[in-house]
């Protein structure tokens, strides 16, 4: 059986943690930052975790993560 290919778009967006979960950067920090509060921008800097309902889909795109 051939090797499975990783979806490169998913590899750029998600990183696997040591426990096998996936983390992702939060959306909304690229532009139009003047109207957002400093507290909101500070929260957007942190990484978010992929919800357990979507974990199987991310794992299918990244079989070796």
């Amino acid at each position: 059986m051939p090797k499975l290919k990783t979806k490169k778009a998913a590899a750029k967006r998600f990183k696997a943690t040591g426990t096998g979960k996936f983390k992702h950067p939060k959306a909304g920090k690229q532009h139009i930052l003047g109207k957002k509060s400093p507290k909101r921008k500070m929260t957007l800097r942190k990484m978010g975790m992929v919800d357990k309902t979507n974990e199987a889909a991310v794992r299918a795109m990244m079989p070796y993560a």
Side-chain angles (χ1 to χ4, degrees):
M1 189 166 164
K3 292 182 189 177
L4 297 172
K5 285 192 171 182
T6 297
K7 300 283 188 253
K8 299 311 276 184
K12 293 170 188 172
R13 287 168 173 79
F14 302 105
K15 300 289 180 218
T17 63
T19 58
K21 296 180 181 178
F22 291 96
K23 58 185 181 177
H24 65 90
K26 293 187 179 176
K29 188 73 170 52
Q30 294 292 321
H31 59 106
I32 314 176
L33 299 174
K35 62 175 76 170
K36 295 172 185 163
S37 69
K39 182 179 179 181
R40 183 172 166 194
K41 289 186 278 190
M42 189 170 60
T43 307
L44 288 172
R45 280 185 222 143
K46 301 173 185 171
M47 298 290 274
M49 298 302 290
V50 173
D51 192 65
K52 64 179 181 179
T53 57
N54 297 324
E55 243 177 63
V58 176
R59 190 168 306 284
M61 291 186 278
M62 300 174 59
Y64 301 108

